[in-house]
Amino acid sequence: MKHKLALIEAFDDCLRRNVSKGQLLGFVDRARRYWNGNAEMLAVVEGLVEGVRV
């Protein structure tokens, strides 16, 4: 749960700072690689992506 909240907060921080699409995609790609093999966290990443249509 702690990791899930940290990931969501980091993603939201990127949105608040209005990072470029490329930077946001880089964040998402790194998160996918880091959490590869963890279905729960990958679902969180995909949910974030779907929410903003990256």
Side-chain angles (χ1 to χ4, degrees):
M1 181 68 126
K2 184 195 249 186
H3 297 296
K4 179 180 174 181
L5 292 175
L7 179 63
I8 293 168
E9 288 174 4
F11 187 83
D12 287 345
D13 186 53
C14 289
L15 296 177
R16 271 193 305 278
R17 291 185 295 123
N18 200 29
V19 300
S20 70
K21 184 174 182 174
Q23 290 172 310
L24 196 55
L25 288 172
F27 175 88
V28 169
D29 287 342
R30 286 188 301 279
R32 285 178 178 142
R33 282 193 305 273
Y34 185 82
W35 293 110
N36 189 24
N38 184 324
E40 181 181 352
M41 290 302 293
L42 288 174
V44 172
V45 173
E46 296 311 316
L48 294 170
V49 170
E50 282 187 21
V52 295
R53 303 283 186 235
V54 172

